[in-house]
Amino acid sequence: ANPPSPGIHVGGGVNLAQPDMTGSMVTISGYLNKKPPGMGRWVRRWFALKAGLLSYHTSENVECIDSFVLYGSEVGRADDELPTHPHCFYITPPSKKGRKYILQAETEEHMTTWINCLKTCSQA
C-alpha cells in the first residue's frame, strides 16, 4: 500500500497540500457555499483545486458539475458586496466571460487559505 501523500488538514472539510509556489502543485479541497446567479438560494458544494483547475461537485467523490482554469482570474474578498454574509470571496475567471463566482467559507481562516491558493494559481 502507498503511504498517504503529505498535506495539511485545515479542518472543516478542507484539505490543503503543501504548495510549491509555482501554482502547479497547489491543491485544496473542501465544502464552500456557492451563491447562484441572481437571487437564488446559496448551495453547499464540494470544491477541488488541483493543477490550476477549480472544479465543483454536489458532494465529495461525485461527478463534476463544472470546472475552469484559474490562470488570469481575479480573486478577492467580497465583504463590500455581501456585508451580511461573513467569509465570502469571489473568483472571476476569464474563460467564463465576466461571470463572478461568489463563495463562502466556514471561517475567516478557511477563506484566507482558499484566497491565497486561488491567487497563487491565478498567477501561475
Side-chain angles (χ1 to χ4, degrees):
N2 292 333
S5 57
I8 301 167
H9 180 66
V10 179
V14 176
N15 301 306
L16 173 65
Q18 291 285 12
D20 69 354
M21 291 302 113
T22 66
S24 63
M25 294 301 292
V26 173
T27 304
I28 186 172
S29 61
Y31 282 102
L32 296 168
N33 292 320
K34 178 181 165 291
K35 183 182 181 302
M39 297 298 292
R41 287 183 28 203
W42 289 73
V43 289
R44 189 171 187 242
R45 295 288 183 244
W46 178 264
F47 282 80
L49 171 60
K50 187 168 186 173
L53 183 73
L54 183 66
S55 61
Y56 61 95
H57 317 251
T58 52
S59 60
E60 190 176 3
N61 301 320
V62 176
E63 189 174 323
C64 175
I65 295 172
D66 196 8
S67 64
F68 51 87
V69 174
L70 279 170
Y71 181 75
S73 293
E74 190 178 321
V75 178
R77 296 178 66 109
D79 299 335
D80 294 340
E81 294 177 58
L82 297 162
T84 59
H85 289 79
H87 322 305
C88 288
F89 58 99
Y90 68 87
I91 307 164
T92 308
S95 63
K96 295 295 183 175
K97 298 183 172 80
R99 176 158 179 205
K100 182 182 271 190
Y101 291 82
I102 306 236
L103 307 173
Q104 182 182 40
E106 291 182 19
T107 67
E108 183 79 14
E109 179 186 10
H110 291 171
M111 179 191 68
T112 302
T113 301
W114 273 100
I115 288 173
N116 290 341
C117 289
L118 294 165
K119 281 185 174 182
T120 297
C121 287
S122 71
Q123 299 163 4

